[in-house]
Amino acid sequence: MQTGTQALLPRHIAVIMDGNGRWAAARGLPRSAGHQAGIEPVRTIIGQCRRQGVAALTLFAFSSENWRRPPEEVGHLMDLFLDALAVELPNLQQNRVRMHFIGDRQSLGAALCQRMAEAESSTAANDGLQLQIAVSYGGRSDIVLAARALAAACQRGELEPAAIDEARFAAAVSLAGLPEPDLFIRTGGEQRLSNFLLWNLAYTELYFTDVLWPDFDAPAFERALQHYASRQRRFGLTAEQQAPK
Ligand code: FPP
């Protein structure tokens, strides 16, 4: 756990990429054009994280609630993920990015699942930025599935209920093994978590910006990093307890 002001660069950043639809509407374009335009900032942010030495980046691409959107938009998003994965993989590979997907894969099509699995296996040995993409992901479901896995381990006699502590629980959620996100960024002006990483965001610094995701460029990302660097993280301690002795 990083405390105080000494940690100026987040090790792990989690992002809700919001505002694609409004970006498109403002230009008289279909929502799908906004999602398409949302690919470029994904590229930019991955590059920035890599260059600055951020260890992990987790992007919310599609929530478990997004299935309720019009079928045409959902279909477009799934096609976009499928295409973007094929197009971006060589570049990610070249930059030693390690990819991992979180969320309910059973709800996704076979072709997308296969491409996701290929992206994971072909980048598994990379030692650069750890990139997590949340697709059909919900934070409450993540917690429920972890609880279920731990209960099943108890039922098999492999685990004592009393041995379930926060560390054990953290090892059962989707982002197990990664440092907790230090910085959460949400674009698009809304100030809520929308069921993203509910377990992991307990002590994360929250940064909200009105910038719509397709406009979120390198300077906008830099402003988020500067906001983070200016925060004093106390994790329940007093400022005096954290002052350098
Ligand atoms: C939310 O904006 C955005 C999404 C539901 C899709 C996000 C997907 C991308 C940016 C493409 C990324 C691709 C990869 C491979 C990671 P919204 O539609 O809710 O916008 P609105 O609030 O303005 O309507």
Side-chain angles (χ1 to χ4, degrees):
M1 186 180 281
Q2 295 180 331
T3 58
T5 51
Q6 79 279 14
L8 297 179
L9 186 73
R11 284 167 306 174
H12 184 176
I13 302 178
V15 186
I16 294 187
M17 309 178 286
D18 196 13
N20 294 347
R22 279 165 286 160
W23 183 92
R27 287 160 180 77
L29 298 169
R31 294 178 60 82
S32 57
H35 297 314
Q36 184 70 48
I39 297 288
E40 186 56 34
V42 171
R43 241 181 246 132
T44 303
I45 293 338
I46 291 171
Q48 289 295 315
C49 284
R50 212 177 48 74
R51 272 187 287 281
Q52 306 225 21
V54 173
L57 174 68
T58 300
L59 302 175
F60 205 4
F62 192 85
S63 75
S64 41
E65 290 74 31
N66 285 152
W67 290 111
R68 297 192 207 124
R69 292 192 174 198
E72 195 189 312
E73 181 174 351
V74 171
H76 172 84
L77 275 167
M78 295 300 145
D79 289 346
L80 184 66
F81 297 149
L82 200 58
D83 288 351
L85 265 181
V87 171
E88 303 299 332
L89 194 58
N91 188 31
L92 294 169
Q93 191 66 278
Q94 207 175 0
N95 286 299
R96 306 201 325 272
V97 173
R98 183 175 178 184
M99 282 189 93
H100 180 55
F101 294 88
I102 61 172
D104 174 21
R105 295 190 197 204
Q106 285 175 356
S107 58
L108 303 173
L112 182 55
C113 282
Q114 192 184 338
R115 203 158 286 177
M116 284 160 54
E118 282 165 7
E120 285 177 334
S121 58
S122 65
T123 63
N126 290 349
D127 58 0
L129 175 72
Q130 296 227 20
L131 174 64
Q132 289 62 237
I133 301 195
V135 184
S136 192
Y137 174 87
R140 285 183 175 175
S141 165
D142 197 352
I143 291 171
V144 167
L145 291 176
R148 201 183 287 165
L150 293 169
C154 289
Q155 198 174 36
R156 291 193 302 269
E158 296 165 7
L159 184 64
E160 283 295 321
I164 299 174
D165 55 11
E166 290 188 17
R168 183 81 67 154
F169 206 95
V173 297
S174 296
L175 293 188
L178 285 170
E180 298 294 15
D182 299 301
L183 173 65
F184 163 93
I185 300 173
R186 181 174 187 148
T187 62
E190 307 292 355
Q191 302 204 357
R192 53 178 172 256
L193 299 182
S194 297
N195 201 17
F196 189 37
L197 302 177
L198 297 181
W199 172 268
N200 311 82
L201 294 177
Y203 281 104
T204 303
E205 291 293 329
L206 307 179
Y207 176 79
F208 299 97
T209 171
D210 289 338
V211 173
L212 304 175
W213 179 252
D215 293 328
F216 195 73
D217 53 9
F221 181 65
E222 193 53 42
R223 286 196 291 279
L225 290 185
Q226 280 167 10
H227 166 88
Y228 176 78
S230 74
R231 304 298 305 154
Q232 188 190 44
R233 308 185 73 199
R234 291 203 287 273
F235 298 100
L237 304 180
T238 67
E240 291 70 31
Q241 283 176 301
Q242 290 193 314
K245 301 253 166 8

